[in-house]
Amino acid sequence: MAFVPGQPVTAVVQRIEIHKLRQGDNLILGFSIGGGIDQDPTQNPFSEDKTDKGIYVTRVTEGGPAEVAGLQIGDKIMQVNGWDMTMVTHDQARKRLTKRNEEVVRLLVTRQSLQKAVQQSMMS
Amino acid sequence: MKDLACTSDSPVHEQSPSNQTSIAMMQEPQEMVEETVTVEEDPGTPTSHVSIVTSEDGTTRRTETKVTKMVKTVTTRTVRQVPLGPDGLPAMDGSSPMGSYTDSIDRRYLKNGERYITPQASSTLTRSYNSYNDSYPESHEGQYRPYLGHDGYGDLSDNYGSLSRGVGYRPRYAYVPGSAYRPDDGSFTLPSRRDNYGPVAQPQVPVGSNADLNRSQPERFQPEPYGLEDDNRSLGVDDEGYELDPDYSTVNRRTSAGVPERGRPHKGRGYEEPMEPEMVEERIPYLHGGYAAPLAQPERGSMASIDRLGKRSPSIDSIRKDPRWRDPDLPEVIAMLSHPIDPVKSNAAAYLQHLCYENDKIKKDVRHLKGIPILVGLLDHPKPEVHRKACGALRNISYGKDNENKVAIKNCDGIPALIRLLRKTNDMEVRELITGTLWNLSSYEPLKMVIINHGLQTLTNEVIIPHSGWESEPNEDSKPRDAEWTTVFKNTSGCLRNVSSDGAEARRRLRECDGLVDALLHALQSAVGKKDTDNKSVENCVCIMRNLSYHVHKEVPGADKYQELDAGQTTGTGGSQKKKKDDAGCFGGKKAKGKKNGDLDRNFDTLDLPKRSEAAKGFELLYQPDVVRLYLSILTESQNFNTLEAAAGALQNLSAGNWMWSTYIRATVRKERGLPVLVELLQSDSDKVVRAVSIALRNLSMDRRNKDLIGSYAMGELVRNLPSRQQRSAKNLEEDTVVAVLNTIHEIITDSSENARSLIQTQGIQKLVAISKSSQSPRETKAASHILQMIWSYKELRNALQKDGWNKSHFQSVSAALKGSKGPAGRSGYDDSTLPLVEKSQDNEKSGSRDMIPMDELGPDGYSTIDHRDKERKYKSSDPSGDASEKEPLKNDTNRKNINRSNRASVNLVDARDIKPQPVDSWV
């Protein structure tokens, strides 16, 4: 997933549709994100490329909506409802995920195991 | 890792029961009444039946196969009816004599056939054949045919589902036609060769019986570290039950490796897809067999099922002729994991579990053949038979020193898959397998955090809390429940024990996990109440508690509020405390619930515990003085050395540090009459228990009253643990232990000429001088010489010393030696976690003074059992600290020194790291 600035990024992605859970007045997705172009990418424990300022899933509530939908810790979020998430600030990503009028969030995510699986299948 | 290790060895039953008898089994079929279900959608679902087979052995085996019925099911009872499989497989009944047996099988086929065509089912077996055929074209074909004619094969069909059965039956099928068989599938089927396959079949057996099997042999723990590995087979099955058994088991193992890979192209492939077309085509041919009805082609008659198989395998004939089956080779087994028919999947997985049992080579081969992702995929399979078997195979694969296998499971997201299944299933056996697998995985450092991230709360909610008997909101009417020492609880606590050693972050997560600490404490209290403190679950729980107690005074939110400001207890503490404070400050934010009246509570003798407005809960329970009684009870009751070590380590951790709670803990130990309990344990035969207790005493002596008491009552035991001239010591203690004892003595005599006097009275000087002059260990030498210097510094004692024939040179030479050896020794001295850091700078100048070993430096760090740097944990061994559990003994030795060193030196750095502001993290 290393990317070269200016070049298109290619990644194996999985679509994940999360139905938000109502908790009190809030709609929650049940995961937390880290990263963003305004954050220090070297602190991201999940990225292979430590210059990657993408948005990553840092925690997933066990049994929560995100986990049920298949989201996993360490997933890199590429898009949210069609919006690019590879070049956004942390807060922009958070807001995009927490729109109050959206009960369903569709993500495109990539993760190392997906990449590897594809590589392996291509090799074999 | 040792901790992990299960001490118990369960018997392994690997039996390859009478596999060879497979033939005999064939008979069974008859007995069995099978219901045929036609499932349109699931081809694979077999029906369940119980068959009793008599094996050659004469033993009766019972095999149960469960068949799932699909939506459209037609149940047929009788034997014969043979519907044609859609495949065209005949549902043959008639043709073979065996027919009856066959029937059942056939039926399936038929049923299946319709959908998937039984053949596939058969195919499982068949495929193999097929494949084999390829490989072994020759004979088999021939063999098969004969069979075809016979009933035997029919069985197979059943078998498919389960391999085992198949074995018995197969023969009949002669189905012939092997041709038909879809070769594709083919790969899977093993059928024909009973002999060979037989083995395969076995796995199936398990299917039905699996449960039983597994249960029967629970897990085989190996003595080794962690590990749960079972052999299904052995378990299996009722084993005997399998008809097939005979062969497979053993054979496979041996062979598998050897088997040439066959490219089974099909493996993975959707069987269904490719197959079907083929099947169709083939089916027709198949028809022949006895089952004419179905497809009518009687050719091989009943063998239909076989045929399918056979199709490829011309060998049907041969099979019959040669009753032997061959075992599927590993690639075939792995390919079968993707077979469209569920029983085939489950049998293949069961067989894999068997193959992997205690065979690292096979495990590695499975990994290289990409079998692990397939098994992980099966965890989400809706059918219990399938996910259970897959889980069993994963447990065995995850066991062992080859961490690559563990990583492979993690890389295909096996950990979240296991956790998902745990939440979903209520099957106790499956839960045992899941938690056993997680236990195995948790022994590998890099996976610990992954397990915490994906499964901590689930493991706690699903297993720890319910089995501990703890209820967050107890019903007033009901009695408190006792803990249940189930295998699931043992496995889960073992897993958490391992992950609890993964550093400050892991400890934080565990402490903050809702209900975990509460439940563990409840379980331990229940154990003490029932005087059942020797089991592995208790050991695991105590180890977790010890690990979580490590550095509580620094890591708990709001810990800074409790720091004691004055250095009252030891000279020179001030500096260290400040340091601590700073560290603790980093965690600031949350407020601790307890009162902070640390400043008021200086008086150790009159200890006023803080009053709480509300009951402590969660991690606060770790350091409440109430836990002291619990640990002391365990120290009194338990005969398990690991448990004793951990309980002493917990007290050691809690009594370290300079916060208010450790002050209370130190006083509470005294008030609860814990000192005599600890002193008595100095006589333990276990090296690590002596070490942990010794260090705990050292920490406890930071309390002045304790120091006086320990000096009076423990000095004799401490000295007794020192090596004398001729022998290392009566117990031949390890260097670390000797150093720990020496450091404890040093601490006790510091600031106390009374205690120094009792050291002289217990004949300690002689041993100390001997150690300082002749020990092979620079660490021991150094520690002993520090003590001697300290003693000489008490001028009031010199008279007594000289009377005993000692002179200044005995005490000073030491220091000279120290200087001389400073280079090498200096460092090593620090290794010992228990040793105060101070020495280096001071030893020269202040040889005589008490300052030599300032407690400060020791501070919490020095005392705590667990090292911070868990990451490096290996060192643990030196500390009795918590981690020990995970580590392997071997590592300890080597790692220790380095680790310790780094610890010391870098303690502050480490902490800093821990505290480092965390990257922004937003919940959404």
Side-chain angles (χ1 to χ4, degrees):
Chain A
M1 274 265 321
F3 71 98
V4 180
Q7 295 298 309
V9 174
T10 57
V12 182
V13 297
Q14 178 178 342
R15 288 175 194 283
I16 291 186
E17 183 172 296
I18 306 176
H19 294 261
K20 293 184 183 177
L21 182 68
R22 185 164 293 283
Q23 242 185 21
D25 292 338
N26 299 321
L27 285 174
I28 61 152
L29 287 160
F31 69 97
S32 70
I33 55 170
I37 55 177
D38 57 339
Q39 302 292 316
D40 176 4
T42 63
Q43 299 215 38
N44 180 341
F46 304 107
S47 59
E48 268 180 296
D49 173 358
K50 291 305 174 195
T51 63
D52 182 356
K53 296 183 177 182
I55 301 295
Y56 281 76
V57 176
T58 55
R59 292 216 197 173
V60 176
T61 304
E62 293 173 33
E67 196 199 29
V68 169
L71 194 68
Q72 298 182 6
I73 290 178
D75 285 354
K76 177 178 178 181
I77 301 179
M78 309 297 286
Q79 291 184 8
V80 174
N81 290 338
W83 295 90
D84 174 68
M85 286 293 123
T86 62
M87 279 297 173
V88 295
T89 65
H90 185 86
D91 215 43
Q92 284 169 334
R94 186 180 57 75
K95 286 178 177 162
R96 187 57 70 191
L97 287 162
T98 55
K99 297 267 181 215
R100 287 184 160 276
N101 57 355
E102 293 174 349
E103 299 216 344
V104 176
V105 172
R106 292 181 183 81
L107 305 179
L108 282 189
V109 304
T110 186
R111 70 178 67 107
Q112 289 174 27
S113 58
L114 282 175
Q115 305 276 129
K116 286 178 188 157
V118 170
Q119 282 170 5
Q120 288 185 348
S121 65
M122 292 175 68
M123 289 189 305
S124 62
Chain B
M1 328 225 21
K2 301 186 169 182
D3 299 350
L4 297 180
C6 308
T7 41
S8 55
D9 304 5
S10 25
V12 174
H13 309 292
E14 299 187 10
Q15 310 166 346
S16 14
S18 41
N19 298 324
Q20 313 190 347
T21 48
S22 54
I23 299 174
M25 303 182 147
M26 310 193 39
Q27 302 177 349
E28 296 181 353
Q30 301 173 347
E31 298 188 359
M32 309 174 47
V33 176
E34 298 183 357
E35 298 181 349
T36 321
V37 177
T38 359
V39 176
E40 300 204 349
E41 307 218 347
D42 284 3
T45 47
T47 31
S48 58
H49 47 276
V50 177
S51 51
I52 299 176
V53 178
T54 313
S55 53
E56 299 176 355
D57 304 345
T59 51
T60 306
R61 298 178 182 183
R62 186 183 160 187
T63 313
E64 300 183 0
T65 314
K66 299 181 182 180
V67 178
T68 321
K69 302 180 181 181
M70 300 307 289
V71 177
K72 304 174 181 182
T73 50
V74 177
T75 322
T76 317
R77 284 218 178 147
T78 7
V79 178
R80 279 318 180 67
Q81 311 170 345
V82 178
L84 294 182
D87 304 347
L89 298 179
M92 34 222 270
D93 295 4
S95 43
S96 49
M98 308 292 290
S100 50
Y101 310 91
T102 325
D103 301 359
S104 52
I105 299 171
D106 294 345
R107 295 175 181 180
R108 293 185 177 181
Y109 292 101
L110 299 177
K111 304 168 182 181
N112 298 338
E114 302 158 350
R115 286 330 199 56
Y116 296 77
I117 302 175
T118 328
Q120 297 182 342
S122 339
S123 34
T124 37
L125 302 179
T126 327
R127 296 179 179 179
S128 34
Y129 292 125
N130 299 335
S131 49
Y132 292 106
N133 296 338
D134 306 344
S135 340
Y136 313 70
E138 349 88 5
S139 57
H140 301 295
E141 296 182 354
Q143 299 180 344
Y144 288 53
R145 295 181 182 181
Y147 288 113
L148 299 180
H150 316 317
D151 341 354
Y153 279 91
D155 302 359
L156 296 182
S157 38
D158 296 348
N159 299 329
Y160 324 58
S162 48
L163 302 177
S164 30
R165 295 182 179 178
V167 178
Y169 310 86
R170 303 167 184 178
R172 308 171 168 210
Y173 285 43
Y175 203 54
V176 168
S179 44
Y181 257 2
R182 358 121 158 246
D184 306 15
D185 303 354
S187 9
F188 301 95
T189 33
L190 303 178
S192 327
R193 312 74 172 294
R194 290 228 165 169
D195 304 358
N196 305 335
Y197 291 88
V200 175
Q202 297 184 343
Q204 293 186 345
V205 174
V207 174
S209 48
N210 298 341
D212 304 342
L213 298 178
N214 295 338
R215 296 175 186 175
S216 35
Q217 293 194 344
E219 310 165 334
R220 309 184 160 193
F221 296 106
Q222 301 191 346
E224 306 182 1
Y226 36 99
L228 307 180
E229 190 172 27
D230 274 331
D231 187 354
N232 276 344
R233 305 176 149 196
S234 33
L235 300 181
V237 184
D238 321 342
D239 344 351
E240 317 136 351
Y242 303 164
E243 308 149 358
L244 308 178
D245 317 0
D247 308 351
Y248 26 51
S249 19
T250 32
V251 177
N252 293 334
R253 295 184 176 178
R254 310 172 201 155
T255 359
S256 55
V259 179
E261 326 168 353
R262 69 181 35 186
R264 18 197 78 207
H266 314 304
K267 296 179 173 182
R269 279 190 185 169
Y271 310 87
E272 309 182 351
E273 313 166 357
M275 312 240 353
E276 292 220 343
E278 298 177 354
M279 298 182 63
V280 176
E281 299 172 342
E282 298 179 356
R283 296 176 182 180
I284 299 176
Y286 291 114
L287 302 180
H288 331 330
Y291 300 82
L295 295 183
Q297 309 206 352
E299 285 187 347
R300 306 228 171 162
S302 40
M303 323 290 293
S305 53
I306 296 175
D307 292 349
R308 301 173 176 178
L309 311 173
K311 106 173 312 108
R312 291 207 164 170
S313 47
S315 44
I316 297 176
D317 299 349
S318 59
I319 296 175
R320 293 188 174 180
K321 296 177 180 179
D322 178 348
R324 303 189 190 180
W325 292 66
R326 111 183 141 73
D327 293 331
D329 58 30
L330 198 56
E332 289 170 332
V333 175
I334 290 172
M336 280 188 274
L337 292 173
S338 304
H339 194 278
I341 296 181
D342 293 333
V344 174
K345 292 187 181 110
S346 63
N347 286 335
Y351 187 42
L352 256 190
Q353 176 178 3
H354 168 73
L355 291 178
C356 290
Y357 180 66
E358 291 190 336
N359 189 327
D360 292 340
K361 167 83 167 58
I362 300 263
K363 292 174 192 176
K364 190 167 141 204
D365 290 344
V366 170
R367 183 177 83 234
H368 287 150
L369 292 168
K370 311 237 169 28
I372 291 177
I374 304 174
L375 286 168
V376 167
L378 292 178
L379 292 176
D380 286 321
H381 197 284
K383 297 203 174 126
E385 281 305 312
V386 178
H387 62 235
R388 177 188 301 137
K389 293 288 148 55
C391 214
L394 286 171
R395 185 179 66 177
N396 280 5
I397 290 170
S398 64
Y399 176 84
K401 297 207 186 305
D402 187 353
N403 291 326
E404 290 301 307
N405 293 328
K406 301 182 175 81
V407 170
I409 292 174
K410 174 236 158 190
N411 283 345
C412 57
D413 299 323
I415 292 172
L418 287 163
I419 296 294
R420 259 196 315 275
L421 182 56
L422 179 64
R423 271 201 296 270
K424 213 162 50 184
T425 184
N426 287 316
D427 181 332
M428 203 41 80
E429 179 195 342
V430 174
R431 291 178 150 235
E432 287 175 9
L433 292 170
I434 293 168
T435 53
T437 305
L438 289 170
W439 190 2
N440 288 343
L441 295 175
S442 69
S443 66
Y444 185 50
E445 306 280 324
L447 301 189
K448 292 179 179 179
M449 215 57 207
V450 181
I451 291 172
I452 290 174
N453 285 335
H454 287 102
L456 175 59
Q457 194 68 54
T458 299
L459 289 169
T460 302
N461 293 346
E462 294 284 337
V463 180
I464 297 293
I465 291 177
H467 292 255
S468 72
W470 177 75
E471 292 163 346
S472 60
E473 294 175 354
N475 181 338
E476 307 209 339
D477 301 336
S478 59
K479 289 183 184 172
R481 294 190 299 131
D482 279 328
E484 305 161 3
W485 307 123
T486 57
T487 301
V488 175
F489 185 81
K490 177 179 65 183
N491 292 349
T492 306
S493 57
C495 174
L496 294 181
R497 170 183 178 177
N498 285 340
V499 303
S500 69
S501 67
D502 200 35
E505 175 64 10
R507 290 193 292 272
R508 186 181 67 77
R509 295 287 296 276
L510 265 68
R511 287 181 191 127
E512 294 178 3
C513 178
D514 283 345
L516 178 59
V517 173
D518 313 67
L520 292 174
L521 272 176
H522 183 92
L524 288 175
Q525 261 143 7
S526 164
V528 168
K530 290 193 294 185
K531 301 210 182 294
D532 183 11
T533 52
D534 296 341
N535 67 56
K536 187 75 183 177
S537 294
V538 169
E539 176 187 323
N540 288 336
C541 291
V542 180
C543 285
I544 298 169
M545 293 293 290
R546 173 193 52 194
N547 287 351
L548 298 186
S549 298
Y550 179 71
H551 275 195
V552 274
H553 59 278
K554 301 169 102 177
E555 296 175 353
V556 156
D560 53 329
K561 307 265 166 59
Y562 297 99
Q563 298 300 316
E564 308 220 319
L565 295 180
D566 69 324
Q569 307 169 353
T570 48
T571 55
T573 333
S576 66
Q577 289 190 345
K578 276 178 192 168
K579 242 182 257 161
K580 263 175 250 163
K581 250 208 154 176
D582 293 343
D583 294 343
C586 300
F587 293 95
K590 303 179 187 175
K591 298 198 173 180
K593 296 174 185 174
K595 279 188 180 177
K596 58 169 180 183
N597 46 0
D599 292 322
L600 305 179
D601 280 312
R602 278 309 142 55
N603 183 338
F604 305 126
D605 279 300
T606 60
L607 176 71
D608 289 326
L609 295 180
K611 308 292 185 215
R612 305 186 61 100
S613 53
E614 54 186 288
K617 63 180 180 184
F619 62 78
E620 295 171 330
L621 293 168
L622 289 169
Y623 47 82
Q624 298 303 309
D626 308 336
V627 300
V628 168
R629 188 174 302 160
L630 174 65
Y631 292 132
L632 291 176
S633 299
I634 292 168
L635 288 170
T636 307
E637 298 285 335
S638 184
Q639 302 294 316
N640 178 329
F641 288 146
N642 292 324
T643 302
L644 291 172
E645 179 204 3
L651 287 177
Q652 173 190 343
N653 285 340
L654 293 173
S655 56
N658 291 313
W659 73 337
M660 183 185 86
W661 294 106
S662 57
T663 304
Y664 296 142
I665 295 286
R666 290 189 287 262
T668 306
V669 170
R670 180 176 68 250
K671 297 193 170 198
E672 293 288 343
R673 304 181 187 287
L675 295 176
V677 173
L678 290 167
V679 172
E680 185 176 339
L681 284 170
L682 287 173
Q683 300 173 17
S684 170
D685 291 330
S686 165
D687 198 273
K688 58 194 175 182
V689 172
V690 172
R691 194 186 314 148
V693 168
S694 171
I695 300 172
L697 287 172
R698 174 173 164 188
N699 287 351
L700 289 166
S701 68
M702 289 168 71
D703 175 303
R704 185 72 213 193
R705 270 293 275 137
N706 285 348
K707 179 179 283 192
D708 293 342
L709 290 167
I710 292 169
S712 306
Y713 299 105
M715 191 64 81
E717 286 302 333
L718 287 169
V719 170
R720 212 158 297 153
N721 277 305
L722 295 176
S724 63
R725 208 162 276 180
Q726 297 78 9
Q727 48 187 29
R728 287 276 308 164
S729 89
K731 292 186 247 178
N732 197 19
L733 299 177
E734 291 175 9
E735 178 189 47
D736 283 316
T737 307
V738 173
V739 173
V741 171
L742 289 170
N743 288 334
T744 301
I745 292 173
H746 185 276
E747 174 61 31
I748 294 170
I749 66 171
T750 300
D751 278 335
S752 171
S753 61
E754 271 312 300
N755 287 344
R757 194 181 298 278
S758 49
L759 175 60
I760 296 169
Q761 288 163 355
T762 54
Q763 313 301 315
I765 304 300
Q766 187 177 353
K767 283 187 172 181
L768 289 168
V769 170
I771 293 170
S772 71
K773 292 205 187 306
S774 59
S775 170
Q776 300 296 310
S777 157
R779 295 170 57 210
E780 292 179 9
T781 303
K782 181 157 192 165
S785 35
H786 280 304
I787 297 173
L788 292 172
Q789 288 174 347
M790 175 74 71
I791 292 172
W792 194 250
S793 71
Y794 291 110
K795 297 199 173 66
E796 61 270 33
L797 299 178
R798 289 183 186 169
N799 261 343
L801 289 170
Q802 283 162 343
K803 242 183 235 169
D804 288 346
W806 305 108
N807 61 48
K808 185 175 180 180
S809 67
H810 292 108
F811 302 90
Q812 296 292 322
S813 63
V814 176
S815 65
L818 283 179
K819 287 174 194 167
S821 61
K822 206 169 185 186
R827 270 234 159 153
S828 54
Y830 294 55
D831 301 351
D832 174 43
S833 47
T834 57
L835 233 186
L837 299 179
V838 185
E839 314 180 336
K840 261 191 194 168
S841 50
Q842 301 180 335
D843 52 0
N844 299 329
E845 306 103 79
K846 320 195 170 179
S847 52
S849 72
R850 293 108 182 256
D851 295 351
M852 289 191 55
I853 306 190
M855 301 295 297
D856 344 346
E857 302 262 85
L858 300 179
D861 302 336
Y863 294 98
S864 341
T865 21
I866 300 178
D867 283 10
H868 297 305
R869 333 230 30 266
D870 310 3
K871 319 205 160 169
E872 316 186 32
R873 314 211 157 150
K874 323 244 163 147
Y875 58 55
K876 298 189 172 176
S877 47
S878 52
D879 292 280
S881 20
D883 295 323
S885 22
E886 308 165 341
K887 304 185 174 182
E888 299 185 356
L890 299 180
K891 292 183 179 178
N892 294 339
D893 293 338
T894 49
N895 297 333
R896 258 182 221 164
K897 297 183 179 177
N898 298 332
I899 297 172
N900 289 332
R901 232 173 262 156
S902 52
N903 281 340
R904 289 294 164 91
S906 53
V907 170
N908 292 325
L909 295 178
V910 175
D911 288 345
R913 195 197 293 159
D914 289 344
I915 356 180
K916 174 167 40 174
Q918 304 218 335
V920 180
D921 198 48
S922 313
W923 280 100
V924 293

